[in-house]
Amino acid sequence: MLAAYGIGVASIGANGVVVAISLYERTGSSAWAGISAVSGVLPFLLLSPIAGVIVDRTDPRRMLCIAVAGQVGVGLALVPTAEHGALPLVAGLGFVGALFWTLAYPSTAALVPRTVPTEDLAPANALLTTADTVAWSIGPGLAGLLLGARGYVPAAVASATVAGVAVACGLAALRRPLTELVIDHDQPERFLQALRTGVRTIRSSSNIVVPLALVLVAYFVYGAAEVLLLVAATDLLDMGRGGYGALTAALGVGSFAAVAVANRAAAAQRTTALLGAGVLAGGLPLALLAAVETPAVALVLVACAGLGSVIADVLILATMQRIVPADQLARVFGILEALLVAAVILGSTISALIVSVAGIRAALVVVGSVVPITAVATLPRLLRRAPPELADLTALQPAIELLGALPMLRAASRTSIEALARTSSRDTVAAGVTAVAQGDHPDDFFAIVRGRFEVWKTDAAGVTSMVNALGPGDGFGEIGLLQGVPRTASVLATSEAEVLRIPGAAFLHAVGPGAVRGGVGPAASAVDYFTAG
């Protein structure tokens, strides 16, 4: 999957270079260069949320294969058209390539938590982010070199060939098992309803809203950096024509460094505070560039900015993958991608305006310090004024402590436990009532707040006997969910009791990949724990 995504990124970047150079070289018009840029980002801005809903309704691995297969088609179509084809057709191919690629990011984001244990989300996301950054550098760079040395046809053929390798990797990924999803919908959601659900999911939790707002600021700064580093390389640092490439490479070096610290960062208790630090680390080095004249120092600062940006990116990915229900991940990340692209475009546009009005030094200071510092200082105040559903977790602390102490949730992250507490409901069970009946379809998981229960099981000979007694702090209903089988025993209340009811899909999402029909990681350890006695 990683290979399919990374190689596919290189291919779409290479196709974009062929389209851009074709339109500009053949016309000499900056207007056509602008059309090339717009055609490459407009699908992400407008259609990524729709692509996310599509991915949620099918196997995301197939959607990733379709995304990279689209790059094969675009590369082959550019072979006869890049040099002599109609200009609108060339621009249209750039649009089509981006259109197919809108499926890639939601697919990959939805695949990671279904293939990687919860505790490994951060390093997996760091690896993906690094592959993305490197591929966006290597793909266009090699395409440009090949185009300059050999012409349009070899460059387009090379891009299509690379994309073909990505398709092969994607098809190979289809052969491997993938965690199945338990979806709590009696009827399939309509398309627009599914899209609205994704929006509500993002808005309904401060654990999503605040990190998302901070990451949008980080992407705003990143978009501005694309303009600012280009100007700074020539006007401030006198690094020549290769200066911008050197500074961009330094960003990549910083992203590699982020891999080493991403896992520890995501495991921290105060993720939002660390995310704010990442946003500041991604911006402040740019502000310091305003006072730097030595290229070596500038490269170090830019590498630090790259590290901060990637840490912010990784934290938001891991946070949302832990909180968002698994069957909504793709649509949520589709919406996220549209927002991030908008933030990059806004950052590029505003930074260019500041440079033209106040100069490069002022632009570096404003974008690198004023914007990030204002955001980090303001967001906690906005959170305190948020509506009740975005309030802090104080009221949920008893439920969080109860769920966090359960053996079957021992490997779940703090963020996952908080998400479970938010989705839980408190039910009262009268004495003598059977809360769970042997043979029933497994739907929910239960944690006992107060009261007593007995567990009764009927064996193959029809003999019924009590096998366990449960009290406050215990849970039941997990075996059917984890193993994907009917309820294995009945649970009877022997006194009036109160339980936390957790939707089955949310429980499986919290314990991690492999939760249905065995697997690896936290879910498998939970199955082993209970089947062992």
Side-chain angles (χ1 to χ4, degrees), residues 112-434:
V112 170
R114 294 175 63 182
T115 53
V116 174
T118 302
E119 66 270 19
D120 290 336
L121 282 177
N125 285 320
L127 192 59
L128 279 169
T129 301
T130 301
D132 199 341
T133 302
V134 172
W136 274 117
S137 301
I138 293 178
L142 291 180
L145 290 174
L146 190 58
L147 197 152
R150 299 292 181 179
Y152 290 103
V153 172
V157 169
S159 180
T161 303
V162 167
V165 175
V167 172
C169 294
L171 293 175
L174 278 169
R175 297 185 177 185
R176 298 186 176 273
L178 185 68
T179 302
E180 300 176 36
L181 295 181
V182 178
I183 302 175
D184 285 343
H185 297 314
D186 295 331
Q187 297 179 348
E189 290 181 290
R190 295 180 179 179
F191 195 89
L192 290 179
Q193 181 185 1
L195 192 58
R196 287 195 295 267
T197 300
V199 175
R200 283 199 304 271
T201 298
I202 292 175
R203 295 177 55 190
S204 64
S205 170
S206 60
N207 285 337
I208 297 177
V209 171
V210 176
L212 175 58
L214 288 172
V215 169
L216 288 175
V217 174
Y219 270 75
F220 174 91
V221 173
Y222 181 82
E226 293 183 348
V227 174
L228 298 179
L229 293 182
L230 178 61
V231 179
T234 54
D235 291 2
L236 289 184
L237 302 170
D238 195 24
M239 296 175 68
R241 297 177 65 184
Y244 177 63
L247 292 176
T248 303
L251 282 173
V253 172
S255 72
F256 273 114
V259 177
V261 298
N263 193 28
R264 183 174 298 179
Q269 291 294 319
R270 302 187 63 184
T271 305
T272 301
L274 192 58
L275 181 56
V279 172
L280 293 176
L284 293 179
L286 295 179
L288 294 176
L289 278 180
V292 170
E293 296 181 355
T294 306
V297 176
L299 291 172
V300 173
L301 289 173
V302 172
C304 292
L307 185 147
S309 297
V310 170
I311 288 295
D313 198 21
V314 168
L315 286 175
I316 187 63
L317 284 172
T319 298
M320 295 182 75
Q321 285 166 344
R322 289 167 175 166
I323 295 175
V324 176
D327 59 316
Q328 298 179 26
L329 267 173
R331 77 191 76 170
V332 167
F333 276 95
I335 296 169
L336 174 64
E337 182 172 42
L339 293 173
L340 295 180
V341 170
V344 170
I345 294 173
L346 188 62
S348 300
T349 303
I350 291 180
S351 63
L353 291 175
I354 297 175
V355 169
S356 64
V357 172
I360 180 61
R361 295 185 189 276
L364 286 168
V365 172
V366 170
V367 171
S369 61
V370 175
V371 172
I373 290 173
T374 301
V376 172
T378 302
L379 276 173
R381 298 181 182 179
L382 294 179
L383 179 60
R384 287 196 291 268
R385 299 177 183 177
E389 64 269 20
L390 298 184
D392 61 26
L393 297 171
T394 302
L396 292 175
Q397 282 305 316
I400 292 171
E401 292 175 4
L402 171 62
L403 295 172
L406 292 173
M408 63 284 287
L409 292 173
R410 63 189 176 191
S413 66
R414 170 76 178 188
T415 307
S416 297
I417 297 297
E418 292 174 359
L420 287 181
R422 288 184 179 277
T423 61
S424 67
S425 59
R426 283 181 176 261
D427 292 355
T428 300
V429 183
V433 172
T434 299

